[in-house]
Amino acid sequence: SEAAEKLVKIDRRSPRAWRGYAAAAALTAVELQRACEALSVAADIPAPGGVGAGGAGEADALSLRVRAAEDMAAHIQACCPTWQLSRQIVALYDAPLQESMRMLRARRRAQWQCVVRLLWRFRSALPYIALSSALSIVLGAFSAMRHHYQAAVINLAKDATIAAASAQTGVAIIGAPRSGVGETVGAMVVSEVVTQLAEFVRARLNLHGKAKVVQKLKVSLFEALLRQDLEYLEQVDLWQLRSLIGSCGTTIGQVLDFPAVAVESSTRLIAALAALGGQSGSLTAFLAVVLPLRLALGRAVDLAGDYLEQRCDLPDFRGQINSCWGALTRPASLRT
């Protein structure tokens, strides 16, 4: 594939380059089939206690193969002179690619099912999740209002400056009077105190709830491991099982933190939009359109840059630079 890519950069219509891509596509199909078979064999080995499916390393390897196959398909479709030829080359490994993606989707669905079973198994932690989510609503709302009060202080300073200048010039200012500095600063203090208290209580609730769940989970995993027979222990990697038991606390902590973080982010966004809408509805509508458009345009520019880089017949400067650095780091190549 790399040799064919270099030939395409020199001459896009070279038959040798596209024969090389066809050979790379056939090899990719074989590699995908072998990766799928390895994942199927590894998934048949159950994890201790039935907590999750096996084959994490095989799934990662298959995911890398799928990503590389998709990148090669995109490169072939961008550089191939005819659409029929690119379709024929990609069709060589399209069926194994679709099967690999189906297996990855099935594994991801099984992982979500394991998450639901874990939450139901440790349903004693659900009240902590509910309380943490409720505090996240408060925390998100007051975190968004922090910027609102900062803007209010800036506006008060601006109004005070303009009022002092108008008093010197004798020009009257027409406008609605704003709230005083004391009221705004007091609201800022109350908001900050409520935010810190909510964050402290939520952290303590999360810590207490996760500690009980992690303790029960590690005990269950270790008991399940001790109940296995010698044949199972000879088939699996004991270091991987040790890492599984050691890292389950971090994993379950992320699972329990996800609802609170999602609720906090959503509440902060809604509160920020409500505060901005109270000040200027047109500005809120403008930002609601511009911010997603900015993300979409950034993505479109990146895709266009990749497309132009693949379509242009440029020499492989990156490969030449890597070869140069490789020669400089080999003392034998510097001998004269």
Side-chain angles (χ1 to χ4, degrees), residues 76 82 86 103 113 127 141 164-166 175 184 191 242 259 264 286 294 315:
I76 291 173
T82 60
S86 66
M103 292 188 66
Q113 292 174 357
S166 62
T184 305
S191 175
R242 180 185 179 277
E264 180 185 352
F286 175 75
R294 175 180 176 273

Side-chain angles (χ1 to χ4, degrees), residues 54-68:
E58 289 78 4
D60 293 338
L62 181 59
S63 179
L64 291 176
R65 296 286 186 189
V66 169
R67 195 176 298 114

Side-chain angles (χ1 to χ4, degrees), residues 100-140:
S100 302
M101 295 174 66
R102 187 193 64 79
M103 292 188 66
L104 290 176
R105 287 194 298 267
R107 179 177 176 80
R108 200 171 296 117
R109 186 166 54 251
Q111 288 176 342
W112 279 108
Q113 292 174 357
C114 290
V115 169
V116 174
R117 286 198 298 268
L118 275 175
L119 291 177
W120 180 248
R121 183 177 181 181
F122 302 105
R123 52 187 176 272
S124 60
L126 294 179
Y128 296 100
I129 297 177
L131 291 175
S132 178
S133 300
L135 290 174
S136 297
I137 296 175
V138 178
L139 185 60

Side-chain angles (χ1 to χ4, degrees), residues 172-242:
I173 299 177
I174 301 175
R178 298 180 182 270
S179 59
V181 178
E183 296 178 1
T184 305
V185 173
M188 288 182 64
V189 172
V190 172
S191 175
E192 192 66 26
V193 169
V194 172
T195 300
Q196 296 299 325
L197 286 176
E199 189 171 1
F200 175 77
V201 175
R202 190 184 69 170
R204 299 303 299 177
L205 284 173
N206 285 338
L207 183 62
H208 185 67
K210 286 188 291 187
K212 295 176 61 177
V213 171
V214 170
Q215 182 181 5
K216 292 181 180 179
L217 182 59
K218 288 188 176 182
V219 170
S220 300
L221 285 173
F222 197 73
E223 288 178 352
L225 181 61
L226 293 178
R227 288 196 300 265
Q228 305 302 316
D229 54 3
L230 185 60
E231 182 181 359
Y232 173 80
L233 297 177
E234 290 177 351
Q235 291 180 357
V236 299
D237 188 4
L238 295 180
W239 177 259
Q240 184 178 0
L241 292 178
R242 180 185 179 277

